[in-house]
Amino acid sequence: MPAPVVLVADPLPAHLTDELAADFDVRHCTGADRAQLLAAVPEASALLIRSATRVDQEVLDAAPRLRVVARAGVGLDNVDVAAAARAGVTVANAPYSNVVSVAELTVGLVVALARPVLPASASVHAGQWRRADFQGVELAGRTVGILGLGKVGELVATRLRAFDMHVLTHDPYARADALERTGAQAVSLEELLRRSDVLTIHVPLTDATRGLIGERELAWAKPGLRLVNTARGGIVDETALARALKEEWVAGAALDVFEFEPPLSSPLLGLPNVIATPHIGAGTAQAQERAGREAVQAVRQALTGSDPDPEA
Ligand SMILES: NC(=O)C1=CN([C@@H]2O[C@H](COP(=O)(O)OP(=O)(O)OC[C@H]3O[C@@H](n4cnc5c(N)ncnc54)[C@H](O)[C@@H]3O)[C@@H](O)[C@H]2O)C=CC1
Ligand SMILES: O=C(O)CCC(=O)C(=O)O
């Protein structure tokens, strides 16, 4: 019997996919290229993805042999989980694999918004020495609002507490133990915006959170707000945010995620008070190793019912 096909549609550490090749027919495609994905998926018993590949009804319909979609990462907004369940396809993610990396990037972006490190560095590289032009603000004593006190939100809260920031959160489903561990004060969304000097977003992208931070919410914002989004682009209305940034009602934004990636026509690109990174929250060697390994294990588990990985 031919070995089941495992289709790797997004980049994963090569040594992990090489390990799979001992037992499976491992093939590669660029999942973001729809035509390539639809051409390759009919043979696949397993699909290994990150965030760029969209797995929807059309892909599932084209994949009669598919038994598992393994997501090497957290967010499942690029997978139609309900359609997969109807088709009898298992969906697995790696929920703890990269949360520390995302939290660490988030803290770095908060600091980079408070202290203009990026333009200051660029000016020194350009041969300038303009010390007075790069005055920032201290984080100690200021208030951070955490939208979504889940795994990443909690890690960010505890790290920013160490900066002596006061921590507020809005999360209708927040666990009591997470509130206790972080010392975060639970407030409404409106109060979160009205009181926060820094707002950092850590909710998943769902029908309920799409556009959660829009014109009305930004109008509630405390003047001078600094906003960080390392969750998903669709949660923030980019047009409304761009307007608030141009009016300097919102002082700055640091965005790792965009509604469309790459964000070629985003109104946020080119604004001087925006730091933009190309969805690198999980971009550490450690996170990629953990996420890839968990996804590979999920594939083995689904296709053979076993998990020979000694580290499992
Ligand atoms: N930039 C990157 O590379 C990465 C981004 N992410 C994103 O970060 C998100 C959060 O990750 P985790 O903390 O692991 O997820 P999580 O599931 O542990 O936490 C999400 C929290 O959001 C809360 N929430 C849900 N709906 C809400 C609403 N309407 N208002 C307020 N709170 C709400 C939930 O109750 C939960 O506590 C992921 O869904 C993913 O989109 C995750 C990993 C890497
Ligand atoms: O590295 C990736 O695939 C993106 C990570 C991410 O956004 C996630 O895990 O939800």
Side-chain angles (χ1 to χ4, degrees):
M1 216 171 63
V5 171
V6 175
L7 183 61
V8 182
D10 286 317
L12 288 178
H15 68 278
L16 295 176
T17 51
D18 288 350
E19 277 175 30
L20 273 179
D23 302 302
F24 303 102
D25 178 357
V26 176
R27 301 182 189 175
H28 295 263
C29 77
T30 302
D33 179 331
R34 198 70 180 167
Q36 261 196 48
L37 178 66
L38 290 171
V41 84
E43 301 286 311
S45 295
L47 187 55
L48 266 166
I49 61 166
R50 287 176 54 185
S51 56
T53 299
R54 191 160 41 85
V55 181
D56 54 14
Q57 189 71 58
E58 186 184 26
V59 171
L60 293 164
D61 287 345
R65 300 182 182 187
L66 195 62
R67 286 160 61 188
V68 58
V69 175
R71 159 74 163 108
V74 174
L76 285 171
D77 46 285
N78 53 328
V79 179
D80 187 337
V81 178
R86 285 196 300 274
V89 173
T90 300
V91 176
N93 68 345
Y96 291 90
S97 58
N98 57 28
V99 291
V100 169
S101 293
V102 182
E104 289 180 356
L105 178 71
T106 303
V107 172
L109 293 174
V110 170
V111 173
L113 283 176
R115 306 295 299 274
V117 201
L118 297 180
S121 173
S123 80
V124 175
H125 280 291
Q128 300 162 357
W129 195 252
R130 298 163 23 218
R131 297 176 66 207
D133 288 349
F134 300 112
Q135 182 169 293
V137 292
E138 270 185 1
L139 293 172
R142 295 169 75 89
T143 298
V144 58
I146 311 262
L147 181 56
L149 195 69
K151 291 182 286 299
V152 178
E154 178 173 344
L155 292 172
V156 171
T158 49
R159 282 155 178 73
L160 290 179
R161 281 270 303 226
F163 279 71
D164 290 332
M165 293 193 82
H166 179 58
V167 182
L168 304 179
T169 188
H170 174 71
D171 183 339
Y173 321 102
R175 294 167 49 118
D177 55 351
L179 288 166
E180 200 175 321
R181 279 192 297 272
T182 57
Q185 181 188 349
V187 296
S188 68
L189 182 59
E190 180 172 350
E191 192 174 348
L192 191 80
L193 280 142
R194 290 201 188 280
R195 289 178 55 193
S196 296
D197 299 295
V198 175
L199 175 73
T200 180
I201 299 175
H202 303 293
V203 295
L205 178 62
T206 63
D207 289 345
T209 62
R210 189 177 295 280
L212 185 61
I213 302 299
E215 205 163 322
R216 180 186 65 155
E217 290 71 24
L218 290 168
W220 288 337
K222 183 171 176 177
L225 174 74
R226 289 168 168 83
L227 182 148
V228 178
N229 187 5
T230 57
R232 283 295 181 270
I235 297 159
V236 179
D237 178 332
E238 293 190 353
T239 306
L241 178 59
R243 189 175 319 132
L245 284 159
K246 280 179 196 156
E247 291 167 2
E248 296 182 12
W249 181 262
V250 171
L255 309 167
D256 185 46
V257 286
F258 294 85
E259 184 169 8
F260 301 104
E261 296 178 357
L264 301 177
S265 58
S266 171
L268 296 159
L269 288 196
L271 297 185
N273 44 0
V274 170
I275 297 171
T277 51
H279 202 145
I280 56 167
T284 64
Q286 293 76 11
Q288 289 306 307
E289 175 69 19
R290 275 187 232 110
R293 192 162 286 285
E294 281 184 45
V296 160
Q297 284 168 228
V299 166
R300 281 194 185 282
Q301 180 70 36
L303 296 188
T304 68
S306 69
D307 185 357
D309 189 330
E311 290 180 28

